[in-house]
Amino acid sequence: MHVAPVGGTAVQDHVALAEIELCGELIIAASAAREDRLSLESIDEVLRVAEERGGERGGER
């Protein structure tokens, strides 16, 4: 039997982990939504799109 050493040699894909986290946040928001679907504005809010765009274009949307 082979056991991975403590301290790990596991490779982490930080982009994939970030995508998984965002998907989880969307799932939570969708399950808490009062309507059948999340609005585009709600999705942007969950994904923090305005924050990202604000940093790139000086706050314009």
Side-chain angles (χ1 to χ4, degrees):
M1 177 165 85
H2 182 323
V3 178
V6 177
T9 57
V11 176
Q12 290 187 1
D13 183 338
H14 297 286
V15 173
L17 291 173
E19 289 177 357
I20 292 167
E21 183 178 338
L22 290 174
C23 286
E25 291 177 18
L26 280 172
I27 292 167
I28 291 168
S31 67
R34 294 182 181 158
E35 299 175 13
D36 289 338
R37 296 178 179 218
L38 289 175
S39 67
L40 293 178
E41 292 80 17
S42 296
I43 293 170
D44 284 353
E45 185 178 326
V46 170
L47 298 178
R48 297 180 291 274
V49 171
E51 293 174 17
E52 292 296 319
R53 288 184 180 168
E56 294 174 9
R57 293 196 240 168
E60 293 180 18
R61 184 167 190 192

